[in-house]
Amino acid sequence: MGIIFAACQLLVTKKQAMTTFEDNIAREYRDLANRLPTKALLGKDLSDDEYQKAFDEFYHYFDLSNEQVFLHQRRRISKATWNYWRDGIRSNIRRPAFARAWAEISETSNGDFSELRRLIAVDFKDAAKQ
Protein backbone atom coordinates (compact mmCIF):
# COMPACT_ATOMS: atom_id res chain seq x y z
CA MET A 1 0.00 0.00 0.00
CA GLY A 2 2.80 2.38 0.85
CA ILE A 3 4.42 1.94 -2.56
CA ILE A 4 1.13 2.60 -4.35
CA PHE A 5 0.51 5.71 -2.25
CA ALA A 6 4.04 6.98 -2.93
CA ALA A 7 3.64 6.38 -6.67
CA CYS A 8 0.34 8.27 -6.68
CA GLN A 9 1.89 11.13 -4.75
CA LEU A 10 4.76 11.26 -7.22
CA LEU A 11 2.32 11.49 -10.15
CA VAL A 12 0.32 14.24 -8.44
CA THR A 13 3.50 16.18 -7.67
CA LYS A 14 4.70 15.82 -11.27
CA LYS A 15 1.33 17.05 -12.60
CA GLN A 16 1.38 20.04 -10.24
CA ALA A 17 4.93 20.93 -11.31
CA MET A 18 3.94 20.74 -14.98
CA THR A 19 0.91 22.93 -14.38
CA THR A 20 3.01 25.51 -12.55
CA PHE A 21 5.57 25.46 -15.37
CA GLU A 22 2.86 25.88 -18.02
CA ASP A 23 1.28 28.72 -16.03
CA ASN A 24 4.63 30.53 -15.92
CA ILE A 25 5.00 30.29 -19.70
CA ALA A 26 1.39 31.46 -20.15
CA ARG A 27 2.11 34.43 -17.88
CA GLU A 28 5.17 35.25 -19.99
CA TYR A 29 2.96 35.17 -23.11
CA ARG A 30 0.36 37.48 -21.52
CA ASP A 31 3.08 39.95 -20.51
CA LEU A 32 4.43 39.92 -24.04
CA ALA A 33 0.97 40.24 -25.60
CA ASN A 34 0.41 43.34 -23.46
CA ARG A 35 3.41 44.95 -25.17
CA LEU A 36 2.27 44.09 -28.71
CA PRO A 37 0.01 46.57 -30.52
CA THR A 38 -3.63 45.74 -30.00
CA LYS A 39 -4.21 46.41 -33.71
CA ALA A 40 -1.80 43.59 -34.56
CA LEU A 41 -3.57 41.20 -32.19
CA LEU A 42 -6.90 42.13 -33.80
CA GLY A 43 -5.56 41.31 -37.24
CA LYS A 44 -5.29 44.88 -38.51
CA ASP A 45 -2.40 46.28 -40.50
CA LEU A 46 0.14 48.46 -38.74
CA SER A 47 1.64 51.61 -40.16
CA ASP A 48 5.36 51.38 -40.90
CA ASP A 49 6.07 53.42 -37.76
CA GLU A 50 3.86 51.22 -35.56
CA TYR A 51 5.48 48.13 -37.05
CA GLN A 52 9.01 49.38 -36.44
CA LYS A 53 8.20 50.36 -32.84
CA ALA A 54 6.78 46.87 -32.19
CA PHE A 55 9.37 44.89 -34.12
CA ASP A 56 11.40 43.85 -31.05
CA GLU A 57 8.25 42.58 -29.37
CA PHE A 58 7.38 40.52 -32.46
CA TYR A 59 10.87 39.04 -32.28
CA HIS A 60 10.33 38.14 -28.63
CA TYR A 61 6.94 36.64 -29.53
CA PHE A 62 8.52 34.34 -32.13
CA ASP A 63 11.27 33.41 -29.70
CA LEU A 64 8.67 32.45 -27.09
CA SER A 65 6.65 30.55 -29.71
CA ASN A 66 9.77 28.64 -30.73
CA GLU A 67 10.35 27.75 -27.08
CA GLN A 68 6.75 26.53 -26.80
CA VAL A 69 7.23 24.22 -29.79
CA PHE A 70 10.52 22.99 -28.28
CA LEU A 71 8.83 22.28 -24.93
CA HIS A 72 6.14 20.29 -26.71
CA GLN A 73 8.76 18.26 -28.57
CA ARG A 74 10.49 17.48 -25.27
CA ARG A 75 7.15 16.50 -23.65
CA ARG A 76 7.54 19.19 -21.00
CA ILE A 77 3.92 20.35 -21.42
CA SER A 78 0.60 18.57 -21.54
CA LYS A 79 -1.11 17.72 -24.80
CA ALA A 80 -4.06 20.00 -23.93
CA THR A 81 -1.75 22.94 -23.27
CA TRP A 82 0.12 22.27 -26.51
CA ASN A 83 -3.13 22.29 -28.47
CA TYR A 84 -4.00 25.74 -27.07
CA TRP A 85 -0.52 27.11 -27.70
CA ARG A 86 -0.29 25.64 -31.21
CA ASP A 87 -3.69 27.04 -32.14
CA GLY A 88 -2.64 30.46 -30.82
CA ILE A 89 0.60 30.42 -32.80
CA ARG A 90 -1.29 29.42 -35.95
CA SER A 91 -3.88 32.11 -35.40
CA ASN A 92 -1.32 34.84 -34.80
CA ILE A 93 0.90 33.98 -37.77
CA ARG A 94 -2.11 34.52 -40.04
CA ARG A 95 -2.52 38.11 -38.83
CA PRO A 96 -0.93 40.64 -41.19
CA ALA A 97 1.51 42.28 -38.74
CA PHE A 98 2.69 38.93 -37.41
CA ALA A 99 3.08 37.53 -40.93
CA ARG A 100 5.07 40.60 -41.95
CA ALA A 101 7.33 40.32 -38.90
CA TRP A 102 7.79 36.57 -39.37
CA ALA A 103 8.74 37.03 -43.02
CA GLU A 104 11.43 39.54 -42.04
CA ILE A 105 12.67 37.69 -38.97
CA SER A 106 12.75 34.24 -40.55
CA GLU A 107 14.65 35.59 -43.55
CA THR A 108 17.36 37.30 -41.48
CA SER A 109 17.68 35.07 -38.41
CA ASN A 110 20.30 32.68 -39.84
CA GLY A 111 18.34 29.50 -39.20
CA ASP A 112 17.21 30.36 -35.68
CA PHE A 113 13.68 29.37 -34.69
CA SER A 114 14.05 25.92 -36.24
CA GLU A 115 11.23 24.40 -34.20
CA LEU A 116 8.83 27.19 -35.14
CA ARG A 117 9.91 27.01 -38.78
CA ARG A 118 8.94 23.32 -38.89
CA LEU A 119 5.53 24.00 -37.34
CA ILE A 120 4.80 26.79 -39.80
CA ALA A 121 6.05 24.72 -42.76
CA VAL A 122 3.69 21.88 -41.81
CA ASP A 123 0.81 24.34 -41.57
CA PHE A 124 1.55 25.74 -45.03
CA LYS A 125 1.80 22.23 -46.50
CA ASP A 126 -1.54 21.31 -44.94
CA ALA A 127 -3.14 24.52 -46.26
CA ALA A 128 -1.83 23.84 -49.75
CA LYS A 129 -3.43 20.37 -49.75
CA GLN A 130 -6.87 21.80 -49.01
Side-chain angles (χ1 to χ4, degrees):
M1 280 303 261
I3 293 173
I4 293 171
F5 179 75
C8 288
Q9 283 300 110
L10 185 61
L11 289 174
V12 167
T13 301
K14 182 179 177 184
K15 175 102 172 116
Q16 287 174 335
M18 182 181 285
T19 299
T20 299
F21 179 72
E22 292 170 351
D23 288 347
N24 287 336
I25 301 293
R27 188 173 307 109
E28 187 177 344
Y29 170 78
R30 285 190 303 276
D31 291 344
L32 179 56
N34 284 332
R35 297 189 308 267
L36 287 165
T38 302
K39 284 173 60 175
L41 294 167
L42 293 174
K44 299 184 182 203
D45 287 319
L46 300 179
S47 70
D48 288 341
D49 187 52
E50 290 170 321
Y51 174 77
Q52 290 305 320
K53 286 179 182 176
F55 184 78
D56 288 349
E57 300 306 335
F58 284 115
Y59 183 92
H60 297 302
Y61 169 78
F62 293 121
D63 186 50
L64 177 61
S65 296
N66 191 69
E67 181 180 357
Q68 291 172 320
V69 178
F70 175 81
L71 292 170
H72 163 67
Q73 291 171 342
R74 299 294 178 264
R75 295 187 170 103
R76 296 278 318 272
I77 58 172
S78 70
K79 187 169 184 118
T81 294
W82 168 242
N83 289 336
Y84 290 125
W85 289 358
R86 183 198 59 219
D87 291 348
I89 293 166
R90 287 175 171 166
S91 177
N92 282 336
I93 198 67
R94 290 183 187 111
R95 293 180 167 101
F98 285 84
R100 179 182 176 188
W102 176 246
E104 185 175 343
I105 290 167
S106 65
E107 183 179 307
T108 59
S109 62
N110 298 320
D112 292 342
F113 307 109
S114 59
E115 289 83 3
L116 183 57
R117 287 174 194 274
R118 282 192 292 274
L119 175 70
I120 291 171
V122 166
D123 286 346
F124 284 123
K125 276 187 214 173
D126 289 346
K129 290 178 185 176
Q130 295 175 356

